[in-house]
């Protein structure tokens, strides 16, 4: 039975983080079906996080929307040319096979779905001329701002990264669609398109944005982080292993990839009458079911549902989604060959060890915006610390209870080592370290380092003479980079933090100090 326009509108917009152009969407649906595209760069291997956009694409298709999936092979090539064209061609074919298998596994009609490669039209004369026309209008500032959430930000960006937002904007016109769908991290590119397409005489499009789903490690789900995602072809044992290792703090509903998968994939795909089942022994309350995600969320927040029970339940649903995909690939030797060629096992090479210099440390000014004692450790504080990051304050656990009173920790400016590997401290994941001046036992004293008065959250701290270089994304604990550098990190006789005699400085040249301790190590 055909859906009314308002029913289509409800399907199209449900569970989105944001919709830009709602009035236009209503107007189109009253006249005809929507035309929409979703683009994905064919680089990293698709994983279960792709079920989030797929569940929305399922909504679009069920609402009669004409959906184009763009395999952005040219965008992928421009991404620092990580993959040659021959490999990108194989990966594009793998993406198409994987996405079709995913949609079939959730019973989505494919008659209004089509696939397009970027190079099918992005190398045409008309598109190329539009790129040049757009480049005559866009400032470097606007191009960098638009790509801030999706293009790696560096002090001297490549021109390819500055082109990226413009190409994505032009895709809307050249694919002849009404709307573009993407993650909320694409918002700046979408508003860039809304600003610049009309300058070229082209229509402003509708933009539909999905929430970003945390990965299993607690951050954004990423193809490059093995433990943060489950591959579409992972077997049941691998699914169990990765879920078991996943971050799922009791009562934490804000940064929980397992719970987010329930909200954005499992529940939206339920048919009428289906419920979320969690099997438990009678000792722990017996089996329980939820017909609405909000009820599951509330039960987890109040700790009625244990993380282990949630993981066990989600494992069942993930395997249910993956089984048809596994079977399709297992029964087709051509698909198996395609998968192995598109993503060959990495060649084992002896890594070239980067020089251990303090430039590898990501040290920043932070502000403690919330602090409380750890519920399960008398000596630990749990702090929310603002580092000026778009995702909000980080959770950092510090052993300062016996050295700094709680009231002195509140709203305090501190110095944070921000690129340590997250560590689980008595059940709470800590994303960094508060750097402190510290004396040795038996009469140990500890003072958090003090940024200059003009320091602001997120201000980068460098070491004089070592300003050049890029900090590691995450310090490899096996390489002991921090341990090697920490031995020369001290508060000197003037009370100034320094490394090997060179002071630590903020971007404005301000020095890092200790309130009272001098001639002591920094830990």
């Amino acid at each position: 039975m055909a859906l009314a326009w308002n029913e289509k509108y409800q399907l199209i917009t449900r569970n989105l983080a944001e919709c830009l152009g709602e009035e236009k969407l209503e107007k189109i649906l009253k006249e005809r079906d929507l035309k929409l595209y979703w683009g994905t760069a064919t680089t990293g291997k698709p994983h279960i996080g792709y079920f989030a956009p797929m569940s929305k694409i399922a909504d679009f298709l069920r609402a009669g929307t004409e959906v184009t999936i763009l395999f952005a092979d040219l965008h992928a090539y421009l991404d620092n040319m990580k993959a040659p064209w021959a490999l990108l061609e194989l990966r594009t074919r793998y993406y198409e096979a994987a996405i079709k298998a995913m949609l079939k596994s959730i019973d989505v009609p494919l008659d209004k779905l089509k696939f397009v490669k970027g190079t099918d039209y992005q190398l045409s004369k008309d598109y190329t001329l539009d790129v040049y026309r757009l480049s005559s209008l866009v400032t470097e500032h606007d191009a960098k701002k638009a790509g801030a959430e999706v293009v790696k930000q560096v002090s001297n960006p490549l021109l390819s990264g500055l082109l990226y937002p413009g190409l994505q904007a032009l895709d809307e016109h050249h694919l002849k669609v009404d709307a573009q769908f993407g993650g909320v991290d694409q918002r700046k590119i979408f508003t860039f398109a809304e600003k610049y397409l009309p300058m070229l005489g082209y229509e402003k499009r509708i933009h539909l944005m999905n929430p970003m789903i945390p990965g299993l490690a607690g951050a954004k789900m990423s193809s490059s982080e093995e433990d943060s995602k489950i591959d579409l072809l992972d077997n049941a044992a691998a699914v169990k292993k990765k879920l078991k290792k996943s971050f799922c703090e009791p009562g934490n509903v804000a940064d929980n990839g397992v719970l987010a998968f329930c909200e954005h994939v499992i529940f939206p795909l339920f048919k009428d009458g289906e419920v979320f089942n969690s099997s438990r022994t009678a000792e722990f309350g017996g089996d329980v079911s939820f017909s609405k995600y909000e009820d599951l969320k509330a039960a987890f927040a109040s700790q009625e549902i244990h993380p282990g029970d949630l993981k066990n339940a989600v494992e069942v649903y993930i395997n249910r989604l993956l089984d048809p995909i596994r079977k399709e690939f297992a029964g087709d030797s051509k698909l198996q060959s395609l998968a192995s060629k598109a993503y060959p096992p990495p060649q084992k090479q002896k890594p070239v060890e980067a020089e251990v210099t303090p430039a590898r440390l990501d040290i920043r000014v932070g502000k403690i915006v919330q602090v409380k004692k750890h519920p399960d450790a008398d000596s630990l504080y749990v702090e929310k610390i603002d580092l000026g990051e778009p995702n909000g304050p980080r959770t950092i656990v510090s052993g300062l209870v016996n050295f700094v009173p709680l009231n002195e920790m509140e709203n305090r400016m501190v110095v944070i080592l921000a690129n340590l590997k997250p560590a689980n401290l008595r059940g709470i994941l800590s994303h960094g370290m508060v750097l402190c001046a510290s004396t040795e036992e038996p009469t140990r004293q500890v003072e958090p380092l003090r940024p200059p008065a003009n320091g602001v959250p997120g201000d980068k701290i460098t070491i004089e003479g070592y300003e050049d270089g890029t900090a590691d994304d995450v310090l490899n604990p096996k390489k002991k980079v921090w341990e090697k550098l920490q031995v020369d990190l001290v508060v000197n006789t003037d009370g100034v933090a320094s490394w090997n005699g060179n002071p630590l400085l903020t971007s404005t040249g301000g020095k890092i100090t200790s309130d009272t301790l001098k001639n002591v190590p920094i830990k």
Side-chain angles (χ1 to χ4, degrees), residues 53-64:
M54 289 306 108
S55 70
K56 273 312 301 175
I57 287 171
D59 285 341
F60 300 148
L61 291 169
R62 288 174 179 137

Side-chain angles (χ1 to χ4, degrees), residues 403-436:
F403 304 102
V404 186
L406 183 66
N407 65 319
E408 292 183 19
M409 292 292 287
E410 294 171 348
N411 296 312
R412 183 180 182 128
M413 301 296 288
V414 288
V415 176
I416 300 300
L417 178 60
N419 59 341
L420 284 177
K421 184 177 180 180
N424 193 319
L425 300 179
R426 293 290 187 91
I428 295 179
L429 204 62
S430 180
H431 296 269
M433 177 194 294
V434 178
L435 293 182
C436 299

Side-chain angles (χ1 to χ4, degrees), residues 16 37 49 80 94-96 175 203 206 248 290 293 382 487 496 507:
L16 290 175
Y37 100 88
N80 292 330
Y94 179 83
Y95 263 68
E96 181 169 347
L175 288 171
E203 187 180 350
I206 300 160
C248 189
F290 301 91
Y293 169 74
V382 180
V487 294
V496 175
S507 60

Side-chain angles (χ1 to χ4, degrees), residues 154-326:
V154 293
S155 55
N156 293 303
L158 295 174
L159 187 57
S160 59
L162 298 179
L163 284 173
Y164 199 109
L167 299 180
Q168 189 168 335
L170 289 173
D171 290 338
E172 296 181 350
H173 172 74
H174 286 268
L175 288 171
K176 297 178 172 58
V177 295
D178 307 307
Q180 183 179 175
F181 168 59
V184 74
D185 61 333
Q186 309 257 337
R187 192 183 195 281
K188 290 178 180 177
I189 291 181
F190 292 164
T191 55
F192 172 94
E194 293 187 358
K195 175 181 178 180
Y196 281 104
L197 282 188
M199 292 186 186
L200 297 177
Y202 297 148
E203 187 180 350
K204 184 165 71 173
R205 266 62 180 190
I206 300 160
H207 294 103
L208 308 172
M209 284 165 269
N210 236 13
M212 299 305 295
I213 296 186
L216 299 179
K220 176 181 174 182
M221 197 173 290
S222 168
S223 298
S224 61
E225 293 186 37
E226 188 62 30
D227 286 342
S228 82
K229 51 90 180 181
I230 293 171
D231 188 85
L232 297 178
L233 299 180
D234 275 346
N235 59 31
V239 171
K240 180 181 287 293
K241 179 182 176 183
K242 289 179 180 180
L243 275 175
K244 189 174 182 179
K245 292 172 64 178
S246 65
F247 175 66
C248 189
E249 186 179 41
N252 182 348
V253 298
D255 186 26
N256 188 323
V258 181
L259 201 60
F261 193 80
C262 295
E263 179 181 8
H264 297 291
V265 178
I266 295 174
F267 275 84
L269 292 176
F270 278 160
K271 295 180 174 64
D272 288 343
E274 277 193 274
V275 294
F276 182 91
N277 294 311
S278 175
S279 299
R280 304 185 299 186
T281 63
E283 179 187 357
F284 294 106
D287 296 350
V288 63
S289 298
F290 301 91
S291 58
K292 295 189 299 184
Y293 169 74
E294 289 73 18
D295 295 337
L296 172 63
K297 179 180 178 181
F300 189 84
S302 64
Q303 300 191 34
E304 294 174 39
I305 296 294
H306 187 272
D309 295 326
L310 179 65
K311 290 180 182 183
N312 289 338
V314 169
E315 179 186 343
V316 172
Y317 289 101
I318 287 177
N319 282 318
R320 194 177 296 174
L321 288 171
L322 297 185
D323 272 341
I325 303 172
R326 294 170 183 146

